[in-house]
Amino acid sequence: MPETHGRRRAALRGLLTGAGVEALLVTDLLNIRYLTGFTGSNAALLLHAGGDEKTLFCTDGRYTTQSAAEVPDLETVVDRASAAALVARAAKDGKTYGQLGFESQHVSVEQYETLSEQVPLKRTPGLVERLREVKDEAEIEALRQACAAADRALDDLVAAGGLRPGRTELEIARDLENRMLGHGSSAPSFASIIAAGAHSAIPHHQPTHAELKRGDFVKLDFGATVDGYHSDMTRTFVLGEPADWQRDVYDLVHAAQAAGVAAVVPGAEVSDVDAAARDLIKEAGHGEHFAHGLGHGVGLQIHEAPSFAATGVGTLAAGMAVTVEPGVYLAGRGGVRIEDTLVVRAGEPELLTLSTKNLVVV
């Protein structure tokens, strides 16, 4: 997608003047992938405000063939020390590159000191991440496919009787992840959370050899990866007929999640989106049992900006991909979380995770 990556680099150039630099040294590999399409493990990019003809890409000899295919539209420098090689080029041609910015949130102090011996560097954190908050349609399609892979895997798991007493959390995690691979995922988005019984009250429980039992809540938080983009979904099931308290907790979280999703509109303050769901849970007397943020951005990373939290700052814009995931966790008893990945759109958001959110008894 050279045209897509070219448009992203052009948009980044629009931020350089405001940052007070004429060129930007990009060293974070995800940011390099976003701007060039390169998927290798060693690279740097020197993006010039003047255009692609002055922009340099660098990787090492292992990736000569790969980079020619993935980055056909930029001059390529071959050097193992990619960042240092590009800074050396900038130092050699100081009139062309002028003040050089760098991703200070991704560069170690030692690397900064080494690079700045060649040319003065200015801290310019978060410029690419700011662009990445709003997804283009190519990114949204990758997210859509990742969410579809997760949905299909969950459907298969349930249809095959994969959630049944006697199976362990670890068995289900492996089963679900293998099914996602079968539906086009290149890898799980993160280590799947499978939490049964009292473990479901632990927000980020790591699967164990604990066996599922009749009467358990079973919480599954998982995702697929397609073209580097991550999906994120949580569904909570009940093994056998639910108790009254389980229905009450589930119905509360279901209502809170719907309120949070409805609040995801362009221009909304992220703290207000959090409050839309959190206030319902507080009013029901469970405020202390919802101890994490309502959601987060998702894309090339499983956790990106923006962040839905009571202390969150910022507003939503059309094209952002986010999660909405309220939960209520009763220690020693069980918990419920319901989570979707969705895209901010004018009007109402586009849900990408489509598995049912009604209480499913298995």
Side-chain angles (χ1 to χ4, degrees):
M1 301 186 295
E3 297 86 1
T4 297
H5 298 117
R7 286 194 296 270
R8 294 172 185 172
R9 293 192 296 270
L12 179 57
R13 289 187 181 96
L15 302 179
L16 297 190
T17 299
V21 298
E22 295 172 71
L24 176 67
L25 179 67
V26 183
T27 52
D28 178 72
L29 285 171
L30 287 180
N31 287 341
I32 291 168
R33 178 172 184 165
Y34 175 77
L35 294 168
T36 69
F38 181 70
T39 59
S41 65
N42 179 35
L45 177 71
L46 184 59
L47 183 132
H48 193 279
D52 276 352
E53 62 276 9
K54 298 178 181 178
T55 293
L56 301 174
F57 171 80
C58 185
T59 187
D60 64 68
R62 296 172 297 167
Y63 296 111
T64 302
T65 300
Q66 179 179 332
S67 62
E70 292 181 338
V71 194
D73 51 345
L74 295 176
E75 179 183 345
T76 297
V77 177
V78 179
D79 196 302
R80 182 78 176 187
S82 296
L86 294 186
V87 169
R89 286 283 294 267
K92 184 178 179 180
D93 194 358
K95 291 183 179 180
T96 297
Y97 291 98
Q99 178 63 66
L100 188 62
F102 76 107
E103 297 183 302
S104 53
Q105 79 276 28
H106 297 302
V107 174
S108 68
V109 172
E110 183 175 354
Q111 186 180 19
Y112 165 74
E113 290 180 346
T114 300
L115 295 175
S116 61
E117 289 176 357
Q118 300 186 71
V119 64
L121 297 173
K122 181 177 181 179
R123 290 181 173 86
T124 51
L127 295 183
V128 184
E129 285 83 356
R130 193 187 312 172
L131 292 179
R132 282 172 48 193
E133 286 190 40
V134 175
K135 272 59 180 179
D136 57 39
E137 289 304 318
E139 293 178 284
I140 292 171
E141 180 56 28
L143 288 166
R144 193 179 287 118
Q145 292 180 25
C147 291
D151 278 328
R152 291 167 187 157
L154 180 61
D155 287 347
D156 288 353
L157 179 72
V158 174
L163 299 177
R164 62 179 182 270
R167 294 200 87 193
T168 69
E169 295 169 339
L170 278 169
E171 286 172 342
I172 293 168
R174 292 170 184 150
D175 191 353
L176 184 58
E177 290 173 358
N178 284 332
R179 292 178 188 275
M180 286 192 288
L181 293 174
H183 285 294
S185 174
S186 60
S189 290
F190 51 92
S192 299
I193 296 169
I194 311 297
H199 289 167
S200 62
I202 303 170
H204 277 194
H205 172 70
Q206 296 181 350
T208 69
H209 291 287
E211 294 183 355
L212 277 61
K213 299 181 177 62
R214 189 160 298 280
D216 279 354
F217 269 139
V218 183
K219 182 182 69 194
L220 297 86
D221 185 349
F222 61 102
T225 307
V226 172
D227 291 337
Y229 285 82
H230 301 75
S231 72
D232 198 356
M233 175 169 67
T234 306
R235 295 293 186 264
T236 305
F237 298 83
V238 178
L239 294 187
E241 187 62 28
D244 289 344
W245 72 270
Q246 289 176 313
R247 287 191 182 275
D248 290 343
V249 171
Y250 194 95
D251 289 346
L252 173 59
V253 175
H254 193 191
Q257 207 262 349
V261 169
V264 174
V265 296
E269 295 286 339
V270 295
S271 57
D272 290 343
V273 177
D274 181 90
R278 192 174 303 278
D279 287 352
L280 284 180
I281 293 174
K282 285 182 178 179
E283 290 166 6
H286 285 293
E288 66 185 274
H289 301 136
F290 177 23
H292 56 75
L294 181 66
H296 53 85
V298 65
L300 285 170
Q301 291 174 288
I302 189 60
H303 292 101
E304 299 185 349
S307 177
F308 295 141
T311 57
V313 177
T315 59
L316 296 182
M320 289 182 172
V322 298
T323 69
V324 174
E325 50 179 303
V328 169
Y329 311 97
L330 306 179
R333 299 182 73 187
V336 174
R337 181 163 66 249
I338 302 172
E339 175 186 21
D340 283 311
T341 298
L342 48 108
V343 179
V344 183
R345 301 289 196 186
E348 61 183 33
E350 177 188 354
L351 282 177
L352 301 184
T353 42
L354 303 178
S355 296
T356 182
K357 289 175 281 188
N358 295 326
L359 179 58
V360 175
V361 178
V362 292

